[in-house]
Amino acid sequence: EVRLVESGGGLVQAGGSLRLSCAASGLAFDEYAIGWFRQAPGKEREGVSSITSTDGTTYYAPSVKGRFTISSDNADDTVYLQMNSLKPEDTAVYYCAGAYTAWGQTRGLEEYEYDYWGQGTQVTVFS
């Protein structure tokens, strides 16, 4: 059974930083892609960033590029999202999602690309 558990959310002042973690179990970590998505109140869920283990390819949404960094630690099957220079518009529930990925294949920022989802962690940025 694949299980994804997010942690690290919280309340932070604008300009501050948070690091989200996505701990995966039941997933072959060397053949996976993990994506981070977020959903703000009254808005649709949107892709934020993704990483593909097979070749290290990463993607970022334009709204977070240069401020957020995605990374993975295969030793503990965890993907991190380092979020710097946070803005009030980054306030949302953040979800991680996973999918098996064959060599030469990458996963981007579309929900349909992922099969497994975590429960989410709340990030609130106040000005």
Side-chain angles (χ1 to χ4, degrees):
E1 178 187 2
V2 175
R3 189 163 179 247
L4 302 174
V5 179
E6 305 94 335
S7 62
L11 184 66
V12 63
Q13 191 170 18
S17 299
L18 283 174
R19 188 177 78 158
L20 304 184
S21 300
C22 174
S25 60
L27 191 68
F29 218 63
D30 58 347
E31 297 177 334
Y32 74 94
I34 295 289
W36 281 100
F37 293 77
R38 66 185 182 186
Q39 187 166 23
K43 295 187 177 180
E44 293 188 355
R45 190 154 54 183
E46 62 174 351
V48 174
S49 183
S50 70
I51 185 166
T52 300
S53 70
T54 53
D55 63 3
T57 298
T58 58
Y59 293 103
Y60 294 93
S63 59
V64 307
K65 198 167 186 178
R67 299 187 298 122
F68 291 10
T69 303
I70 193 169
S71 62
S72 66
D73 184 344
N74 288 2
D76 61 4
D77 292 354
T78 301
V79 170
Y80 301 97
L81 185 68
Q82 178 67 43
M83 306 187 297
N84 298 329
S85 302
L86 283 162
K87 305 175 181 179
E89 51 263 45
D90 294 318
T91 295
V93 177
Y94 283 71
Y95 301 88
C96 67
Y100 284 103
T101 304
W103 282 94
Q105 182 185 23
T106 60
R107 304 279 184 175
L109 303 180
E110 299 293 336
E111 290 185 54
Y112 70 82
E113 297 180 90
Y114 298 87
D115 302 308
Y116 309 101
W117 292 82
Q119 294 301 306
T121 186
Q122 176 70 46
V123 172
T124 302
V125 184
F126 63 95
S127 57

